[in-house]
Amino acid sequence: MSFPPSPRARSGPRRRSLLAVAPAALLVAGCSAGSEDSGASAGSRPSAADRARARAARDSRELAARYDAVAAAHPKLAERLRPLRAEVVRHAEAFGDAAGPPPSSSGAGSPPASPPAAVPAKEKDALAGLAAAEREIADRRAKALLDAPGELARLLASVAAAGAAHVYLLTEA
């Protein structure tokens, strides 16, 4: 018959030690988590990730307005541009666009947040202007993803790749 080991023979921390240390550990964890949240809610400056996300949403919103301007100036291009513009609007939403997408080129609604660039008279030049805007934004997002946290970096990479595909679709003959 074996007897249970003596309480003094136990290895590891005792119950009293754990009970004494646990509140201190919770206090430290609570203070560090609270300091991050309280700074953001107290009206401090947004984080770099929040600024990058807002910039990406704004870029997509302004790009959608450029698509609208080109479609309005060149109605023959409207059908070709519709799926690309819809994707740009989804990108703005993915970045958490609080302002919402600009109105479509149907003529109803308020004007976009910033006026789009002048639309060239030739369709080919208008498409080239859209492609240049897509390329610039895709390049900016590719650079921004290097400093972005994981999930935002993946979103920026995905949307930058979609922008590069848009450039191809806008410039193919």
Side-chain angles (χ1 to χ4, degrees):
M1 168 189 258
S2 66
F3 293 103
S6 166
R8 294 182 192 246
R10 289 187 199 174
S11 63
R14 293 187 172 183
R15 189 178 321 170
R16 285 185 192 167
S17 300
L18 290 175
L19 291 175
V21 173
L26 290 174
L27 181 62
V28 170
C31 288
S32 64
S35 65
E36 292 172 17
D37 294 339
S38 64
S41 64
S44 69
R45 197 175 157 160
S47 70
D50 289 342
R51 290 190 307 273
R53 193 176 282 277
R55 169 81 187 254
R58 185 177 61 247
D59 285 346
S60 291
R61 189 172 57 247
E62 291 171 0
L63 186 58
R66 287 189 72 152
Y67 273 94
D68 287 343
V70 171
H74 301 285
K76 290 181 184 178
L77 295 175
E79 190 62 33
R80 178 179 176 185
L81 299 177
R82 184 173 293 120
L84 300 177
R85 182 204 182 270
E87 197 166 292
V88 167
V89 169
R90 283 192 299 272
H91 295 162
E93 292 167 355
F95 287 116
D97 185 17
S104 67
S105 58
S106 63
S110 59
S114 67
V119 178
K122 293 184 178 180
E123 288 181 2
K124 184 176 180 179
D125 294 339
L127 290 175
L130 273 177
E134 285 272 15
R135 185 178 297 112
E136 176 189 340
I137 292 170
D139 290 346
R140 189 178 316 139
R141 288 175 175 161
K143 288 177 187 172
L145 74 87
L146 298 174
D147 297 324
E151 190 61 34
L152 179 56
R154 285 186 286 277
L155 180 59
L156 286 166
S158 176
V159 175
H166 290 185
V167 170
Y168 173 78
L169 293 171
L170 289 167
T171 57
E172 84 175 24

